[in-house]
Amino acid sequence: MIEIKNLVKKYNDKIILNGINADISDGEIFSIMGPSGSGKSTFIKCLVKLVFPDSGRIIVDGEDVLGGKNEFELARMRRNFGYLFQDGALFDSLNVMENVCFGLRYLTDIESSKYERIAKEKLSLVGLKDIQSLRVSELSGGMKKRVALARAIASEPKYILYDEPTTGLDPVSSEKISELIVSMQEKLDITSIVVTHDLKLAFTISDRIAMLHDGKFDLAGSPGDLKKSEDPFVKKFIKDSICHDMKDVKNK
Amino acid sequence: MRYFFQQLGHGFIPLFKATGKVTLMVKSVIVWLFKSKLEFEEIIKQSVRIGSDSLIVVCLINFFTGMVLALQTGYSSKSLFNEPLYIGTIVGFSIVKELAPVLTAIVVAGRAGAAVTAEIGTMKVTEQLDALHTLGTNPARYLLIPRYIAFIVTLPLLTVFADFLGISGGFVVSLVKLGVPSTVYWNDIFTFMDISNFMHGFLKSIFFAFIIATVSFHKGLGTKGGAEGVGKATTDSVVTSMVLILVFDYFISAAFVFVGII
Ligand SMILES: Nc1ncnc2c1ncn2[C@@H]1O[C@H](COP(=O)(O)OP(=O)(O)OP(=O)(O)O)[C@@H](O)[C@H]1O
Ligand SMILES: [Mg+2]
């Protein structure tokens, strides 16, 4: 359970998050949508304290993340989280397998002899095979994203934060990713927080969708609530997203 | 007047900020040093990298410095006393106590220090450092500790090489150009120098290693703004390391003289 209370984040006096409130329950898939630059990445970085909020509270499983934590407590708290970075953030000094298994060494007791099998399994979950020994520089953009995804889920943490898991992927791979996120929830009861521009993804997988606008969550309800919403911003956002998708279809 | 002091004060703020950040960084390295296992493989990999990056340049520079020292002292001494006197002693003292440690440190700052800053800076701007935090480790533990140890082990070793090559350079010139017999050259060195002279330079190089590592890590971790930022951090890192090496060289030497390592 993650409780977020009145979260505020400024960058040089520019207010990005202006009092966010949300409760995310265990086993939920919670999506966050919103325009580019609205602070979605900033928000999920706050959850693992990669970005330090200016005020507000974040309580994970009853424990206040922001209150005077030392490095060890913070490190211990972060162990519960997997994080898919928007640009992948793969280690370019390591190969694909070493990237995928990187966290296992620090987060689990799994013997290193099993890493190869785990890497294969996680990569096949994201639709990749036979690339364990490639270097990161040899991967395409979409492959990087999926390797990063495999790395984020490898240790099966309790919470996984996905920053745009399907951006830059073809529809088939996107489909695979949305199945993956749902199956992680069903099989392992993993809580997912998904930042996305992909309306289809958000509508198919989410239990709730939040719309980030002017530093606040405009709406945090089920996909059905979102469709019915009378909020002008939400309506316009959905309409424009659909138009955008249609244009894509036409172009193809 | 008041304006002058205000400006002066403002000039010091970044310095204090940097000092604070460096202190925190070193503290976190020390804390994690006791909390986690050492990764020997990584330490060896980094040491080899630092050593092989700089070895050839270090040897070349010190050999020629030894040569030119012998040449200059030889001819100065000839014009004063009509014969080259104490060439070995002068070359030996200058190389072992001062030039080998300082020149080697400067080469390593320019080579390995710059490379480390660029590496860590790139990792910073591509969020790889953040990724370390989310994968159960952190930059101090995964990057800084092995590199600190690698710098502190490798630089003194390179300095020993440098001592040897500098003195050999001096030897070649005194033998060939000045006609000093080899026994005289080596005698000049070994009658007047002892292990404490060697330690003076050797121990200094450990401090220099610490300076180079700390500066390169600090600049790398503070990198902002994409590829351009990485370039800026790298040049900053090299310049800062070099200035600090030369400034601290005096103070460390003075401290060593004070405690009797001369
Ligand atoms: N380190 C930083 N320093 C200053 N401003 C920043 C920093 N990081 C982000 N910002 C600003 O914060 C705002 C929100 O950024 P954020 O990356 O959270 O947006 P986002 O919603 O994830 O956008 P996108 O959908 O394009 O990824 C942006 O206006 C950005 O300019
Ligand atoms: Mg973003």
Side-chain angles (χ1 to χ4, degrees):
Chain A
M1 170 102 179
I2 306 177
E3 297 159 74
I4 298 133
K5 301 207 166 106
N6 239 330
L7 192 69
V8 176
K9 172 68 198 169
K10 299 178 201 147
Y11 280 122
N12 325 315
D13 294 335
K14 192 173 135 207
I15 299 179
I16 308 294
L17 304 176
N18 189 15
I20 294 210
N21 289 293
D23 290 339
I24 300 166
S25 36
D26 285 348
E28 186 176 21
I29 299 181
F30 187 89
S31 297
I32 300 164
M33 302 191 77
S36 191
S38 57
K40 304 181 296 294
S41 301
T42 306
F43 172 69
I44 55 171
K45 277 187 191 162
C46 287
L47 296 183
V48 278
K49 223 174 166 183
L50 289 175
V51 162
F52 288 24
D54 291 290
S55 67
R57 273 148 63 87
I58 297 173
I59 299 160
V60 177
D61 298 329
E63 200 179 344
D64 193 342
V65 177
L66 303 181
K69 289 254 179 286
N70 68 27
E71 274 179 80
F72 301 118
E73 289 168 328
L74 209 57
R76 184 172 49 71
M77 189 278 301
R78 286 186 181 125
R79 300 172 77 88
N80 293 325
F81 286 88
Y83 195 116
L84 167 65
F85 287 86
Q86 188 166 2
D87 297 316
L90 293 175
F91 302 120
D92 38 29
S93 58
L94 306 177
N95 70 20
V96 169
M97 186 185 115
E98 289 162 337
N99 263 286
V100 174
C101 297
F102 190 91
L104 299 179
R105 243 171 84 210
Y106 300 100
L107 297 167
T108 67
D109 302 325
I110 299 170
E111 294 155 37
S112 53
S113 56
K114 298 199 179 124
Y115 286 0
E116 182 150 14
R117 194 181 53 73
I118 295 176
K120 267 192 189 146
E121 179 194 316
K122 301 296 172 194
L123 287 168
S124 79
L125 282 179
V126 296
L128 292 169
K129 62 168 189 273
D130 297 335
I131 61 159
Q132 288 90 309
S133 54
L134 291 188
R135 305 214 66 85
V136 171
S137 55
E138 295 170 306
L139 302 177
S140 75
M143 283 158 98
K144 278 188 193 149
K145 189 111 223 183
R146 286 182 284 164
V147 172
L149 187 55
R151 183 179 73 179
I153 64 174
S155 64
E156 299 177 351
K158 186 169 176 207
Y159 302 100
I160 305 183
L161 311 175
Y162 302 89
D163 201 341
E164 311 204 351
T166 58
T167 308
L169 296 186
D170 63 279
V172 180
S173 308
S174 298
E175 188 63 37
K176 195 139 195 167
I177 303 300
S178 57
E179 279 165 21
L180 171 70
I181 297 174
V182 173
S183 79
M184 300 283 287
Q185 178 207 26
E186 285 171 352
K187 284 198 207 123
L188 302 167
D189 202 33
I190 286 173
T191 311
S192 303
I193 299 175
V194 186
V195 168
T196 183
H197 289 294
D198 183 342
L199 208 58
K200 183 166 169 251
L201 175 79
F203 274 90
T204 37
I205 64 170
S206 310
D207 294 310
R208 277 190 302 158
I209 301 176
M211 194 60 81
L212 183 58
H213 176 50
D214 281 345
K216 287 200 162 74
F217 282 162
D218 256 13
L219 187 137
S222 67
D225 293 345
L226 202 64
K227 276 184 203 151
K228 280 182 283 184
S229 168
E230 287 301 322
D231 185 305
F233 175 77
V234 174
K235 270 173 106 166
K236 181 160 163 40
F237 189 89
I238 293 177
K239 200 176 117 230
D240 289 353
S241 303
I242 293 172
C243 290
H244 186 251
D245 288 352
M246 296 297 273
K247 247 184 244 151
D248 273 1
V249 172
K250 245 192 221 158
N251 289 344
K252 276 168 202 150
Chain B
M1 194 64 192
R2 189 168 154 188
Y3 178 76
F4 171 77
F5 280 112
Q6 262 175 2
Q7 287 306 308
L8 197 69
H10 278 298
F12 275 107
I13 292 174
L15 184 66
F16 287 132
K17 274 192 182 158
T19 316
K21 278 191 187 152
V22 166
T23 314
L24 285 179
M25 181 183 88
V26 174
K27 184 189 137 220
S28 140
V29 165
I30 292 171
V31 163
W32 284 105
L33 187 61
F34 289 106
K35 271 275 182 174
S36 51
K37 296 201 295 280
L38 284 183
E39 310 198 21
F40 285 103
E41 225 173 282
E42 183 68 13
I43 293 173
I44 290 169
K45 199 172 117 193
Q46 294 302 329
S47 307
V48 169
R49 193 178 102 179
I50 296 170
S52 62
D53 266 1
S54 312
L55 184 61
I56 293 178
V57 185
V58 165
C59 290
L60 208 64
I61 287 189
N62 281 284
F63 193 73
F64 276 92
T65 305
M67 281 169 63
V68 78
L69 266 181
L71 188 80
Q72 299 284 23
T73 44
Y75 282 97
S76 308
S77 157
K78 260 186 181 170
S79 73
L80 287 175
F81 312 113
N82 283 324
E83 55 175 330
L85 287 175
Y86 299 119
I87 309 299
T89 322
I90 292 173
V91 170
F93 272 123
S94 320
I95 288 282
V96 168
K97 290 177 68 179
E98 209 39 60
L99 290 164
V102 169
L103 290 175
T104 308
I106 284 180
V107 170
V108 169
R111 278 283 198 155
V116 166
T117 304
E119 183 188 25
I120 296 181
T122 307
M123 293 183 76
K124 168 81 191 278
V125 300
T126 55
E127 297 183 314
Q128 291 177 52
L129 297 184
D130 286 343
L132 288 175
H133 284 296
T134 67
L135 291 165
T137 179
N138 56 63
R141 190 172 156 194
Y142 183 73
L143 297 169
L144 305 199
I145 290 176
R147 282 165 183 71
Y148 256 120
I149 297 175
F151 270 110
I152 287 171
V153 170
T154 317
L155 187 54
L157 287 181
L158 285 170
T159 304
V160 174
F161 269 98
D163 287 345
F164 181 72
L165 273 131
I167 289 175
S168 309
F171 172 68
V172 170
V173 168
S174 1
L175 190 70
V176 176
K177 225 44 203 152
L178 304 169
V180 178
S182 68
T183 43
V184 174
Y185 183 82
W186 293 115
N187 240 334
D188 281 349
I189 291 183
F190 289 111
T191 18
F192 294 103
M193 293 181 68
D194 60 23
I195 190 75
S196 137
N197 305 131
F198 166 78
M199 287 315 279
H200 183 93
F202 187 79
L203 294 178
K204 271 205 294 198
S205 74
I206 295 177
F207 281 92
F208 294 158
F210 183 77
I211 291 176
I212 297 170
T214 307
V215 170
S216 348
F217 301 156
H218 170 67
K219 293 290 176 187
L221 294 173
T223 304
K224 282 205 181 84
E228 192 195 341
V230 175
K232 190 174 168 310
T234 309
T235 36
D236 263 13
S237 151
V238 174
V239 173
T240 312
S241 290
M242 286 184 183
V243 171
L244 289 182
I245 287 166
L246 293 172
V247 170
F248 274 91
D249 182 35
Y250 177 79
F251 293 107
I252 300 168
S253 303
F256 281 173
V257 170
F258 183 73
V259 297
I261 310 173
I262 32 179

